[in-house]
């Protein structure tokens, strides 16, 4: 039996900065050591995992563990992480597979949990146990060690002293550069605005008035948020030249041809009868004209700026197949724009909206007008704001914005 010790179960209680180290005992050569460091908040966490190889040099690695809780890994960096039930497997990416004897590497991931987030009891490296008091096995035990040593301090990273908070306070060092927004999968944008400190949006976000500027304004808001304490507030005014957007150009660019956009929006005034837009995305394949998402006749709609096509068609039957955007509550808006076949699907609070579905087959009242020509979008920015082409003013808050190549969910 390979005997190793579990050292430093430093903070078993829920809280940020939980660190668990699995280290070799002095009397036995262990193949590996795994340091598993967690920052968590209500319902979510990030983990930083450092792997040290005590065996012979290897050119690829797989680290496996089991969760005793209901943790679900949602996205990872510096490793490919897959999960089946409670079993999790992390495999090196192309550039970090080589580990010399005594060498180490790190990877990280983000996850969710509902009830509890206990650290894994054991890890394996290429099938060999790093965990406490177990024989080499390819499936890690899922129970926690019953007799952790009480007198030996951790040999590796000490627990941080950061108190638990309701939002993550320490971004992963090699992953997302801002605290993650709620429920993001592999993303180009994953932003809850929590790192914004001033009134003017900064970093990847900038206020823009594409054509003319007037009464519309946008600012960071610390008084109302979907998650955390910060959101983006847009004071949208009536009339085209009062438009305002807050623009982000990190939108997968040329690396993707499908865009899943997800955001939460809270607004105060029902969508007007007149045409308005709240979101606009520049389409490099459509003369740089915007794909717009907003409303008309009181319901949500897409509008293609290049030819003014609408989805759905603005017949009473078409409008009835879309949906209004409820006021004074946070709404989860998701849509997919697929540059490969030009299709669009839209979800409001998790439910697909039939009038906002362009499936490539022309349907009267819905996407007949949209499909009057071939359209293969290539989106290069995301603009959140308010643009009114006739009448209609609104105050809106945006939060937890994500753009990715996969659906994020709410
Ligand atoms: Ca926020």
């Amino acid at each position: 039996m390979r005997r190793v010790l579990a050292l430093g179960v430093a903070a078993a209680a829920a809280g940020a900065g939980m660190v668990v180290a699995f280290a070799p005992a002095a009397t036995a050569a262990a193949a590996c050591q795994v340091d598993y460091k967690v920052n968590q908040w209500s319902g979510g966490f990030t983990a930083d995992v450092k792997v040290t190889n005590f065996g012979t040099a290897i050119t690829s690695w797989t680290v496996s563990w089991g969760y005793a809780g209901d943790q679900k890994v949602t996205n990872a960096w510096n490793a490919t992480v897959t999960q089946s039930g409670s079993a999790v497997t992390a495999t090196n990416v192309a550039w970090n597979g080589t580990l010399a004897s005594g060498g180490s590497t790190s990877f990280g991931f983000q996850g969710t949990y509902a009830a509890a987030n206990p650290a894994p009891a054991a890890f394996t490296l290429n099938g060999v146990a790093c965990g406490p008091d177990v024989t080499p096995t390819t499936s890690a035990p899922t129970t926690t060690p019953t007799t952790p040593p009480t007198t030996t301090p951790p040999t590796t990273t000490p627990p941080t002293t950061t108190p638990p908070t309701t939002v993550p306070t320490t971004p992963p060092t090699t992953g997302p550069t801002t605290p993650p927004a709620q429920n993001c999968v592999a993303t180009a944008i994953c932003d809850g605005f929590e790192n914004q400190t001033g009134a003017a949006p900064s970093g990847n976000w900038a206020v823009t008035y594409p054509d003319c500027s007037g009464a519309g304004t946008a600012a960071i808001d610390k008084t109302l948020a979907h998650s955390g304490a910060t959101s983006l507030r847009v004071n949208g005014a009536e009339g085209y030249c009062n438009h305002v957007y807050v623009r982000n150009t990190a939108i997968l660019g040329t690396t993707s041809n499908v865009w899943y956009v997800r955001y939460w929006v809270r607004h105060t005034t029902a969508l007007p009868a007149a045409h308005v837009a709240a979101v606009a995305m520049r389409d490099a394949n459509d003369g740089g004209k915007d794909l717009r998402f907003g409303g008309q006749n009181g319901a949500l709609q897409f509008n293609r700026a290049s030819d003014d096509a609408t989805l759905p068609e603005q017949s009473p039957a078409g409008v009835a197949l879309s949906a209004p955007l409820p006021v004074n509550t946070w709404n989860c808006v998701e849509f997919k724009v697929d540059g490969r076949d030009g299709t669009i699907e839209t979800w409001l609070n998790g439910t697909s909206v039939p009038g906002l579905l362009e499936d490539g087959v022309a349907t009267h009242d819905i996407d007949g007008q949209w499909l009057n020509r071939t359209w293969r979008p290539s989106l290069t920015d995301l603009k959140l704001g308010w643009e009114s082409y006739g009448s209609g003013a609104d105050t809106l808050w945006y939060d937890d914005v994500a753009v990715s190549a996969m659906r994020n969910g709410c």
Side-chain angles (χ1 to χ4, degrees):
M1 173 175 286
R2 182 182 301 273
R3 292 193 62 86
V4 290
L5 291 174
L7 300 179
V9 179
M18 185 164 60
V19 178
V20 176
F22 293 99
T27 54
C32 47
Q33 173 176 313
V34 171
D35 300 316
Y36 180 88
K37 183 178 176 183
V38 161
N39 278 295
Q40 72 181 35
W41 58 97
S42 178
F45 67 101
T46 59
D48 184 50
V49 184
K50 180 182 178 184
V51 184
T52 303
N53 171 38
F54 291 121
T56 56
I58 54 179
T59 57
S60 65
W61 49 261
T62 296
V63 175
S64 301
W65 65 92
Y67 276 131
D70 55 2
Q71 297 100 326
K72 301 294 182 194
V73 176
T74 55
N75 69 300
W77 45 96
N78 299 339
T80 300
V81 180
T82 59
Q83 182 170 4
S84 176
S86 63
V88 183
T89 300
T91 304
N92 64 276
V93 291
W95 48 267
N96 67 357
T98 297
L99 274 184
S101 180
S104 62
T105 190
S106 294
F107 63 92
F109 58 89
Q110 184 180 345
T112 62
Y113 67 95
N117 186 25
F123 294 84
T124 63
L125 172 62
N126 290 352
V128 178
C130 309
D133 197 16
V134 292
T135 52
T137 174
T138 55
S139 60
T142 57
T143 55
T144 52
T146 55
T147 55
T150 57
T151 58
T152 309
T155 57
T156 56
T157 312
T160 68
T161 55
T162 309
T165 59
T166 56
V167 296
T169 55
T170 307
T173 54
T174 56
T177 55
T178 60
Q182 183 167 331
N183 285 0
C184 293
V185 296
T187 52
I189 299 175
C190 179
D191 201 334
F193 301 105
E194 298 302 310
N195 63 333
Q196 297 279 342
T197 54
S202 62
N204 287 332
W205 299 96
V207 175
T208 178
Y209 314 95
D211 297 303
C212 40
S213 71
T217 60
I220 297 300
D221 191 330
K222 298 282 185 182
T223 66
L224 187 62
H226 174 260
S227 73
T230 310
S231 67
L232 173 67
R233 173 173 171 155
V234 173
N235 300 307
E238 185 172 293
Y240 181 75
C241 271
N242 292 317
H243 69 173
V244 59
Y245 283 114
V246 181
R247 181 171 186 251
N248 189 324
T249 57
I251 182 175
L252 301 177
T254 57
T255 65
S256 177
N257 48 19
V258 58
W259 294 265
Y260 283 83
V261 176
R262 193 281 316 277
Y263 59 88
W264 266 268
V265 61
R266 182 183 177 109
H267 75 138
T268 55
T269 306
L271 293 170
H275 181 203
V276 295
V279 178
M281 294 150 285
R282 180 180 178 275
D283 182 353
N285 282 355
D286 201 11
K289 298 290 189 179
D290 281 340
L291 170 65
R292 303 155 166 166
F293 183 62
Q296 191 164 345
N297 289 311
L300 294 165
Q301 78 158 8
F302 279 94
N303 171 260
R304 195 164 55 197
S306 60
D307 62 355
D308 213 26
T310 68
L311 175 74
E313 295 175 12
Q314 291 301 300
S315 61
V319 171
L321 290 168
S322 184
L325 185 65
V327 299
N328 299 320
T329 186
W330 286 101
N331 297 283
C332 177
V333 175
E334 300 172 88
F335 52 82
K336 177 204 73 170
V337 176
D338 195 328
R340 298 165 299 187
D341 56 12
T343 57
I344 296 173
E345 183 166 8
T346 313
W347 298 264
L348 177 61
N349 297 317
T351 301
S352 184
V353 181
L356 298 169
L357 174 67
E358 188 267 272
D359 58 3
V361 177
T363 303
H364 185 54
D365 294 320
I366 300 177
D367 54 1
Q369 184 188 32
W370 200 272
L371 289 166
N372 63 9
R373 66 178 171 92
T374 300
W375 177 71
R376 296 290 180 267
S378 179
L379 305 181
T380 60
D381 70 12
L382 174 69
K383 297 185 285 291
L384 305 175
W386 184 257
E387 187 167 83
S388 158
Y389 309 99
S391 59
D394 202 353
T395 304
L396 311 90
W397 288 263
Y398 295 93
D399 203 354
D400 292 325
V401 182
V403 179
S404 69
M406 300 165 59
R407 189 177 169 195
N408 282 277
C410 297

